[in-house]
Amino acid sequence: MSYFFQLVVSGIVVGSIYALSGLGFVLIYKSSRVLNVAHGQIIASGCFITYALTVWAGIPIYISFVMSMVITFFLAMSVERIFLRRLIGEPIISVIMVTIGLMSIIDGIVYLTPFGSENYSFPEFFPQTPIEVGGVSVSWTQLVGVIITMVLIAGFSWFFKKSTVGISMRAVSDDQLAAMSIGVSVPRVFGLAWATAGLTAAAAGGIIGNITGLNFDILHSFGIIVFPVVILGGLDSILGAVVAGVLMGLIQQFASGYLDGNWGLNGTAEVLPYILLLIILLFKPHGLFGIHEIERV
Amino acid sequence: MSANRWLTTGNYFTSYQQEQRIFSTLLDRALFIVFILGLFLWPLLIKLSSRNMLVVDTILIAIVAVLGLNLLTGFAGLISIGHAAFVGVGAYTVASIIRFIGDDHMLITHAWPLVILFAGFVGAAFGAFVGLPSLRLRHLYLLMATLSFQIIFQWVINFSTFFNQGQTISVGRVFWFTGKIVRKQHYVFWYYAILVVIVLLGLGVRNILRTRYGRSLVAVRDNDRAADAMGMHPGLTKVYAFALAGFLAGIAGALHAYLYRGVGFESFTLHHSIVYLAMAIVGGMGTLNGSFWGPAAIQFLELRVENLAEKAGHYFPSNMNLSTALRPLTFGLVIVLFLMFEPRGIANWWRIVRSYVKLWPFRY
């Protein structure tokens, strides 16, 4: 039984990171209907910036964590400004392909830095001994990661519900023309959406980097796993991204805990989300919390 | 229409039939035939080293694959970032036949055209299956369907012993009427084989685009509701598009398996899907001759980049692999820059030059 609970705990840890990654993805999709394929690369760069600031520049982790969030905020904003601003009004298909190109570009830039070829890991900031509760152990890093994630998600929910900027972002996602007519600058909202997505990506990157170490392949794969997560949750629902993120973490942990090694299966955790994705696309494409787009084509 | 179409300006077509013709004048047809003959004859005159011949063959295979992707993304407006997986399905169809009957069985070595055709049909079946969500959904979601197919494909290949866990499965040498194709003739032989395939498929795709189905493909891309109102079935049209793209990709994969005499997992990764997409974009989405320009341009670029990386590699620390860094960087830049500044691709340059020549000395 404690094995089961151990899986649940690690599922929640992984899942909350998925939730945070999915949050950034949904932010961009919600406001500008762009699928950001390069999200994993932004997560990875956020993580690398945190590492560089912490270890190479010697800044305390909690300051560098915030600093990397700020840096990525402006980086993502300038990405939107340089590459995507001039594509407003173009068919959505070419905008998505620009993000595919961006993914390649960031890949190339990362391979130019030492992070592309070598693995690093953060120094331990928290006590090494894991917390044990009834045979279930969770490390301090994981616990702090989950807490930060929860705080960030709560903060963003508040931001969208109450603040003026958040409300104008929701307005744009609802109806661009109507939002424009009451004085919301749509391009600025797009920029802000990218920027906040970059911010959450950096936070996610920092947490992932502390838990799994800095391996570029692992880090940018979080941008791909985000797809099944957001589809499960519904593409345009922040609540959906959070719930589906945790669910997906649990599914993966149970898969690797119970399926691997039996019936000749291996590495099921890597593939199960995508099989699930195909099934959801076939039968319930708007996911758990997404808006039912009545669009039978 | 006896006047030279290259010198006249304006549109002199008097019937739809005339406009839909592939070759509107005898001169066009003659030029095309001369061009094809030239393609068949040049290997007899110029002897390329087998390394260069391999590059040419690789470009040709990429053309077959990109024809399919262009049909899907350019004409039907459905993004696929799993095209390499469909190519892989073709290659691994050959590989699984080999796993059953061995790599020097008659079927593999003598009946290889049938095997290639069969691989195409298997690719079509997989394409149609992955395209099934398009019965209900629009392109955004289809991107995810193709992505998940790519990942599932990689997983299946990597974890099943039947496929040798992604290690190379070798393919035997083929026979022609003249006997076994030996090492020296291999690349030239496959140049001809692939060229024949391309001519057939190119004409085939061109003809499909002229038919009712081809026009409904473009109609569904441009406005699916209007197409629906005109009596087309947008969902089925898209599923067919996926099947066609899968067919072309499957054939490309089988050719790949035969050309490289082996099937390995590393040729069909997500990175290759992006490369195919880059080829389609650079060539020009929604234009047929774009599918020919794109692979050539990207392959050329890749060679340049590798040369550059080799030369510049001395000035960088040795633990840094410059070519792994420069490759994605250039691909990404090429995709982004083309989409931003020349979304209609290289094929558009040809159009610009032609209209410039036609209209000279006037601007427009």
Side-chain angles (χ1 to χ4, degrees), chain B residues 293-321:
Chain B
W293 294 114
I298 291 283
Q299 202 74 40
F300 181 72
L301 188 74
E302 191 163 357
L303 285 177
R304 292 286 97 193
V305 166
E306 243 158 54
N307 277 348
L308 180 76
E310 223 166 82
K311 278 191 193 124
H314 305 296
Y315 305 105
F316 285 91
S318 58
N319 63 349
M320 202 169 92
N321 192 348

Side-chain angles (χ1 to χ4, degrees), chain A residues 126-186:
Chain A
F126 303 108
Q128 300 272 2
T129 45
I131 311 158
E132 297 255 359
V133 182
V136 178
S137 77
V138 56
S139 77
W140 277 96
T141 321
Q142 289 176 328
L143 187 67
V144 173
V146 171
I147 290 170
I148 294 177
T149 310
M150 292 305 160
V151 168
L152 278 172
I153 289 171
F156 272 102
S157 320
W158 176 84
F159 174 75
F160 285 111
K161 278 270 176 313
K162 300 288 177 191
S163 75
T164 319
V165 182
I167 290 171
S168 64
M169 283 170 91
R170 279 195 295 148
V172 169
S173 85
D174 230 29
D175 189 337
Q176 284 189 15
L177 269 182
M180 238 187 277
S181 72
I182 53 165
V184 177
S185 161
V186 174

Side-chain angles (χ1 to χ4, degrees), chain B residues 42-81:
Chain B
W42 73 262
L44 301 178
L45 304 174
I46 310 163
K47 288 273 177 272
L48 282 184
S49 68
S50 52
R51 182 159 164 260
N52 289 336
M53 207 62 206
L54 179 64
V55 173
V56 175
D57 290 352
T58 316
I59 293 175
L60 291 187
I61 288 180
I63 288 176
V64 177
V66 171
L67 264 177
L69 184 63
N70 213 338
L71 204 67
L72 191 64
T73 310
F75 288 99
L78 309 162
I79 312 178
S80 162
I81 45 175

Side-chain angles (χ1 to χ4, degrees), chain A residues 279-297:
Chain A
I279 294 170
I280 298 167
L281 280 183
L282 278 172
F283 297 107
K284 197 169 163 44
H286 38 71
L288 295 176
F289 297 94
I291 294 169
H292 293 237
E293 277 180 72
I294 305 172
E295 193 141 40
R296 276 192 158 278
V297 287

Side-chain angles (χ1 to χ4, degrees), chain A residues 5-18 20 65 122-133 135-151 203-204 206-213 222 249 253:
Chain A
F5 282 115
Q6 182 66 56
L7 288 178
V8 169
V9 166
S10 46
I12 289 173
V13 170
V14 177
S16 64
I17 300 169
Y18 288 164
L20 197 55
F65 188 71
F122 277 99
E124 292 285 342
F125 299 108
F126 303 108
Q128 300 272 2
T129 45
I131 311 158
E132 297 255 359
V133 182
V136 178
S137 77
V138 56
S139 77
W140 277 96
T141 321
Q142 289 176 328
L143 187 67
V144 173
V146 171
I147 290 170
I148 294 177
T149 310
M150 292 305 160
V151 168
I207 295 166
I208 300 166
N210 270 302
I211 294 175
T212 68
F222 274 86
Q253 289 301 319

Side-chain angles (χ1 to χ4, degrees), chain A residues 25 29 33-35 37 82-83 86-87 90 92-109 111-114 117-118 224 227-228 230-231 235 264-271 274-275 277-278 281-286 291 293-297, chain B residues 73 77-79 81 129-130 132-149 151-153 155-156 159 224-225 228 233-235 238 270-271 274 277 281 285 316 319-322 324-329 331-333 335-337 339-341 343:
Chain A
F25 187 90
Y29 179 78
R33 304 277 139 183
V34 172
L35 289 182
V37 185
I82 297 166
F83 295 108
R86 63 175 74 224
L87 288 169
E90 295 274 327
I92 201 77
I93 180 168
S94 47
V95 184
I96 293 171
M97 280 189 288
V98 166
T99 65
I100 294 175
L102 271 177
M103 165 172 125
S104 247
I105 292 178
I106 302 176
D107 267 353
I109 294 174
Y111 283 127
L112 283 176
T113 64
S117 47
E118 274 169 62
I224 303 285
F227 282 92
V230 296
I231 283 287
L235 256 179
L265 287 170
N266 252 324
T268 41
E270 289 166 39
V271 76
Y274 300 96
I275 295 172
L277 168 60
L278 272 185
L281 280 183
L282 278 172
F283 297 107
K284 197 169 163 44
H286 38 71
I291 294 169
E293 277 180 72
I294 305 172
E295 193 141 40
R296 276 192 158 278
V297 287
Chain B
T73 310
L78 309 162
I79 312 178
I81 45 175
F129 177 72
V130 175
L132 274 187
S134 61
L135 283 173
R136 318 180 47 170
L137 297 167
R138 307 191 63 181
H139 46 242
L140 282 182
Y141 292 89
L142 291 171
L143 174 110
M144 305 199 181
T146 54
L147 175 75
S148 57
F149 178 64
I151 304 233
I152 293 169
F153 171 80
W155 181 80
V156 168
F159 282 99
D224 44 7
R225 286 185 196 133
D228 205 358
H233 192 305
K238 290 182 195 172
L270 186 62
H271 169 72
I274 293 170
L277 207 54
I281 291 168
M285 301 286 254
F316 285 91
N319 63 349
M320 202 169 92
N321 192 348
L322 202 59
T324 51
L326 284 183
R327 258 207 225 162
L329 197 62
F331 280 134
L333 276 177
I335 293 182
V336 169
L337 292 179
L339 281 171
M340 278 161 63
F341 299 108

